[in-house]
Amino acid sequence: MEEKLKKPLHVKEGKVIKTPSEKNVTSSASGTDTGKTSNDKSMKEKMGEKKENMSNKIHEVKEGASKKTEDIQEGISDVTEEANKTKEEYEKESEKEGMTPAEKVLNDIVTRFRQGTGQINDAISDYNTKPEDGKESKSNKPKKALKPLVDVLETNDTVYLIADISGVKKDNISIGISKNSVELTVKYKEDAEIEDAKFTQKERSYGETNRIVKLSSEVKVHEAKANFRNCTLTITLPKVVEDITKVDIDD
């Protein structure tokens, strides 16, 4: 008697019937696939957002760099323009004085150095000058005539020199003017104003003092004017203005 083969319970008429355990496995696998797809989608969205943020930041950095480059270029342009302007002024001034621009620069440096040295020497001299009796004390310190304090003002066509000079008359003030400097000489009283009196303290200016003031512009020497009122000396110096001659163009 042939032994009949028993078909599995899950096979029926050519169709596969899943057992409860297989159904659970399939359902679980399906759920896992769905969750994985959802996670992948979320990751892609996040990556997309990060990429967009990065692109925005790169764009901002590029804009900032471009702005800074423009500012730097404008600054360089301003410096170049100022340098060219200064160069042109030096060339004009040096041509007037019969020097090359390099010679004028060197001359200006030497002049400023001499002025500074002169002021230092004057200050030292004020403290090193011995009194008339040769003795130094708290009441009789070394003293000599002080140099007048001077302000120099300029307009487009005029230079003004204003000096404070007290204790003298205008006849005791001497003014010497060249095309680029003014020399002031002031003579103060040398003796005591009271007859048969001696100094126990001496702080006012006595004797003669001299000061040279350099001018930054060339002036018309013969058109200078001076006024002395209320201890203030005012000197008016017209500037030398370049004469411009128009030239006709021939056909």
Side-chain angles (χ1 to χ4, degrees):
M1 184 174 177
E2 295 181 358
E3 186 178 352
K4 294 183 179 180
L5 296 176
K6 295 183 179 180
K7 296 182 180 179
L9 295 176
H10 58 282
V11 177
K12 186 175 181 182
E13 295 181 359
K15 296 181 181 179
V16 178
I17 306 300
K18 294 183 179 179
T19 61
S21 60
E22 290 175 331
K23 288 182 179 181
N24 291 337
V25 171
T26 303
S27 175
S28 176
S30 176
T32 301
D33 291 341
T34 303
K36 184 177 180 181
T37 302
S38 178
N39 289 337
D40 290 344
K41 184 178 180 181
S42 177
M43 286 294 291
K44 287 181 179 179
E45 289 177 353
K46 290 180 179 179
M47 289 296 291
E49 291 177 359
K50 288 183 178 180
K51 185 176 180 181
E52 184 178 355
N53 292 336
M54 185 63 69
S55 298
N56 291 336
K57 288 182 179 180
I58 292 173
H59 182 68
E60 291 176 359
V61 170
K62 286 182 177 180
E63 285 186 346
S66 177
K67 176 64 176 173
K68 288 182 178 179
T69 301
E70 291 177 0
D71 293 341
I72 291 172
Q73 289 176 344
E74 289 179 0
I76 292 173
S77 177
D78 292 341
V79 171
T80 302
E81 184 178 351
E82 185 67 24
N84 290 334
K85 184 178 179 181
T86 303
K87 181 182 177 183
E88 290 176 0
E89 291 176 355
Y90 255 91
E91 287 176 348
K92 290 180 180 179
E93 292 177 4
S94 60
E95 186 178 352
K96 287 181 184 178
E97 299 177 15
M99 296 184 290
T100 65
E103 289 174 338
K104 177 166 175 56
V105 171
L106 181 60
N107 182 66
D108 290 347
I109 292 173
V110 172
T111 300
R112 292 191 185 105
F113 176 77
R114 286 176 178 172
Q115 289 176 347
T117 303
Q119 291 173 359
I120 292 172
N121 291 337
D122 290 339
I124 293 173
S125 178
D126 284 343
Y127 287 95
N128 289 342
T129 303
K130 296 292 182 181
E132 294 176 359
D133 58 5
K135 297 180 181 180
E136 295 183 17
S137 64
K138 291 182 179 179
S139 61
N140 190 12
K141 293 181 180 179
K143 192 69 178 177
K144 72 170 188 176
L146 298 177
K147 293 183 180 296
L149 302 177
V150 177
D151 288 339
V152 179
L153 300 87
E154 288 193 35
T155 63
N156 291 334
D157 54 9
T158 308
V159 176
Y160 297 94
L161 190 148
I162 302 174
D164 289 338
I165 306 174
S166 61
V168 298
K169 297 180 179 180
K170 68 176 183 178
D171 295 336
N172 295 325
I173 301 173
S174 176
I175 304 172
I177 302 174
S178 67
K179 64 180 181 179
N180 53 15
S181 68
V182 175
E183 181 177 8
L184 295 178
T185 302
V186 183
K187 293 182 179 180
Y188 296 92
K189 291 182 179 180
E190 302 213 3
D191 301 323
E193 297 180 4
I194 301 175
E195 189 176 353
D196 297 330
K198 293 184 179 180
F199 288 102
T200 57
Q201 183 166 323
K202 194 174 185 179
E203 294 185 354
R204 297 168 66 195
S205 293
Y206 290 87
E208 183 176 304
T209 184
N210 176 273
R211 181 169 184 185
I212 297 176
V213 181
K214 294 292 183 180
L215 305 177
S216 60
S217 302
E218 187 175 341
V219 297
K220 298 178 181 178
V221 177
H222 300 292
E223 297 183 20
K225 296 180 180 179
N227 178 275
F228 185 61
R229 184 178 298 173
N230 297 328
C231 301
T232 299
L233 174 66
T234 303
I235 303 174
T236 304
L237 306 163
K239 288 184 180 180
V240 173
V241 181
E242 287 187 48
D243 294 330
I244 299 176
T245 303
K246 293 184 178 181
V247 178
D248 295 331
I249 301 174
D250 297 332
D251 294 333

